[in-house]
Amino acid sequence: MFYDRDAASQILAMTRVTTLARLHAATTYLIQMHGFRFYYFSLRGQHALTGRDPITLHNLPVNGRRPEMDREPDQDPLAHYAATRTLPMDWKQIMALPGYQHRGYLRVMAARAQHGLLSGCTVPLSQANGVLARLDLICDHDDEEADLCIRRYLPYASLLGQVLLDKTRGLTRQEGDDLMEPDGGTPLTQRERECLLWASEGKTNAEIGALLGISERTVVYHVHHACEKLHARNRQHAVTKAILSRKLFGHTSDSSRLVGNMV
């Protein structure tokens, strides 16, 4: 997909993806190709369309407790910036703005740093008709290399955010109720989630088995049971349903606010 060397052309190539799972995989690959480690995309105000609010796609770290990225604007400097401004901005510049140095905001950013979210930029995307969206591009280090990465990609960040916004809206409408499941039902086991996680990255059953230290036959067993629990036709369908039904990494105290959590 990303044969073009021009950053804008690489982003526009993402308009050809046909599922949310592929959109996530393409975004992960693209941002890591340009020096970022994580991304976080949030779309709020689409409840009437999807029954989920917010819709999120990201590849945040999952070891231990997940970093919280979707707080209310009065609790989170990044959410506040996205709700009140229009230009993409480096986190350091955001935290230097008047009113952003109070203790609560500083604690939120310190907690993110403990999870490896050390530097990045926030891209406000939409504030019209009750819809609020944002994209965060994140580095797992805070040094001159990270600063250069952010400065170099910042002119393209808004374009990437708009493509994610348009594609997420369109694909959610397209996949619609067929992919939406209640939060209840049988949860996926850790192994089932891990198998779907690697399946979302295009790994074969043999490759997944090697990564997890289990046999290929066991991988097939876990994927089969995940498909049954999600009422999915195949593993690609299961991956997409797991994203939208917030089951890919199970439930935590924070997961009720997340639709997808993929690495």
Side-chain angles (χ1 to χ4, degrees):
M1 177 181 292
F2 301 120
Y3 299 115
D4 294 308
R5 293 187 177 183
D6 175 70
S9 298
Q10 292 170 350
I11 295 169
L12 292 174
M14 293 174 59
T15 61
R16 299 196 295 267
V17 302
T18 56
T19 69
L20 285 173
R22 290 173 182 170
L23 180 64
H24 159 75
T27 304
T28 299
Y29 182 84
L30 179 64
I31 62 109
Q32 292 181 352
M33 185 168 65
H34 286 278
F36 296 97
R37 176 64 182 87
F38 307 113
Y39 83 96
Y40 175 84
F41 170 80
S42 174
L43 171 59
R44 309 183 74 167
Q46 296 288 289
H47 182 82
L49 172 66
T50 66
R52 304 288 182 184
D53 196 24
I55 299 170
T56 64
L57 293 173
H58 59 82
N59 68 333
L60 296 178
V62 297
N63 293 330
R65 186 180 176 190
R66 284 199 302 268
E68 173 62 74
M69 288 295 290
D70 193 61
R71 300 172 182 265
E72 295 300 321
D74 62 345
Q75 301 172 336
D76 184 344
L78 305 184
H80 185 275
Y81 182 83
T84 58
R85 308 296 178 99
T86 58
L87 295 177
M89 187 171 286
D90 187 315
W91 287 359
K92 292 178 181 177
Q93 293 176 300
I94 292 175
M95 296 308 295
L97 293 171
Y100 281 75
Q101 292 82 37
H102 66 73
R103 187 175 301 174
Y105 279 2
L106 294 175
R107 277 200 301 264
V108 168
M109 297 305 291
R112 286 175 179 151
Q114 291 178 351
H115 290 281
L117 314 186
L118 293 172
S119 59
C121 60
T122 292
V123 185
L125 293 173
S126 178
Q127 300 174 30
N129 301 319
V131 175
L132 178 62
R134 92 172 197 258
L135 170 66
D136 293 290
L137 302 176
I138 307 165
C139 295
D140 58 359
H141 50 104
D142 185 10
D143 51 24
E144 291 184 7
E145 181 183 354
D147 291 341
L148 179 60
C149 167
I150 294 167
R151 288 198 304 271
R152 184 186 296 132
Y153 206 71
L154 205 57
Y156 304 100
S158 290
L159 177 60
L160 176 58
Q162 286 299 326
V163 168
L164 280 172
L165 179 60
D166 291 345
K167 292 300 295 184
T168 300
R169 282 171 162 170
L171 291 172
T172 302
R173 290 189 187 99
Q174 175 183 315
E175 294 171 357
D177 292 338
D178 177 53
L179 296 174
M180 301 309 299
E181 294 289 339
D183 288 340
T186 306
L188 300 178
T189 66
Q190 179 67 24
R191 271 288 186 247
E192 289 164 353
R193 293 195 295 269
E194 289 170 345
C195 289
L196 288 185
L197 173 64
W198 288 114
S200 76
E201 299 295 336
K203 302 297 184 184
T204 65
N205 290 335
E207 289 170 334
I208 295 171
L211 287 164
L212 299 180
I214 58 180
S215 70
E216 182 177 354
R217 186 173 181 177
T218 303
V219 173
V220 173
Y221 171 85
H222 288 307
V223 171
H224 172 73
H225 280 274
C227 288
E228 285 188 337
K229 290 178 180 180
L230 293 166
H231 307 291
R233 296 183 296 272
N234 51 48
R235 69 190 222 163
Q236 183 65 41
H237 191 205
V239 167
T240 308
K241 294 191 78 168
I243 294 173
L244 288 177
S245 62
R246 302 178 289 184
K247 289 183 178 179
L248 196 56
F249 282 91
H251 292 273
T252 68
S253 60
D254 296 328
S255 67
S256 63
R257 309 188 65 177
L258 298 174
V259 174
N261 188 354
M262 304 185 72
V263 178

